[in-house]
Amino acid sequence: GPFEGALPSRVLGLAWGSYSAPVQFTETGTTTVVQTIPIALTIQNVASVLTPSGGLAPSGSVGGPFTPASKAYTWSNPGSIGLSYERVVSQPWVSVTGPAGGTLGTGQSVAFTVALDAGLTAALPAGTHNAEVRFRNPVTTSVTYATVPVTLTVTSGGGGAGEIDLNVVIGGSNIWRTH
């Protein structure tokens, strides 16, 4: 059957192309070669470009609205092979338009928009909430071609129903008194 093992770190830095070398197995404790197996390795030119770079970073007060609520992207494949992919969204409050999977062929691109789900983000508490949209290989899920980070900043201010911002009332040059 096929041999499974880890590649040395120096292999990970090779340029794309074809490589071959013999692997020699020796007797334990000696330099006597027991078997030699020729190995061929092909590193394909896998390239991926996400435009614009950077993620979606909306902000707003608890309950929303949050701005910007969405951002449009284009994911391109200038490489020499098609990229089989699946789209993974890490949080339910993030939605994405466009195909959820398929093959992005050589020289092709796909347009998509990353957006917030207003109904779900309205329920988030104050703080920083992180999510990501990843386009990854569906077989070797550890290979990610493109990632869009989403960082939602929810602040506690905003004067929701029944709240009064006392900094506004007592600040400035006017003094307000109640009788």
Side-chain angles (χ1 to χ4, degrees):
F3 170 77
E4 292 184 21
L7 293 173
S9 62
R10 67 181 176 272
V11 171
L12 299 178
L14 291 174
W16 62 280
S18 295
Y19 301 87
S20 62
V23 173
Q24 296 181 332
F25 295 90
T26 59
E27 286 184 26
T28 305
T30 72
T31 58
T32 306
V33 176
V34 178
Q35 186 174 8
T36 300
I37 299 175
I39 300 292
L41 174 66
T42 300
I43 300 175
Q44 296 178 328
N45 182 16
V46 175
S48 180
V49 177
L50 186 63
T51 308
S53 61
L56 174 62
S59 62
S61 298
V62 170
F66 301 101
T67 56
S70 65
K71 188 173 181 180
Y73 291 89
T74 301
W75 175 42
S76 304
N77 176 11
S80 62
I81 62 167
L83 304 175
S84 177
Y85 72 92
E86 66 182 0
R87 184 183 67 216
V88 179
V89 181
S90 68
Q91 292 293 333
W93 47 267
V94 175
S95 64
V96 184
T97 64
T103 299
L104 187 61
T106 300
Q108 291 183 333
S109 62
V110 62
F112 64 96
T113 298
V114 177
L116 300 179
D117 180 309
L120 295 176
T121 55
L124 293 174
T128 301
H129 303 274
N130 296 302
E132 64 181 13
V133 177
R134 292 189 305 140
F135 292 87
R136 69 181 187 187
N137 184 300
V139 177
T140 57
T141 56
S142 63
V143 175
T144 298
Y145 303 122
T147 302
V148 175
V150 179
T151 304
L152 173 61
T153 303
V154 181
T155 58
S156 58
E163 295 179 8
I164 299 173
D165 186 348
L166 293 179
N167 291 320
V168 173
V169 174
I170 63 173
S173 61
N174 296 324
I175 296 176
W176 297 88
R177 294 179 188 219
T178 58
H179 298 282

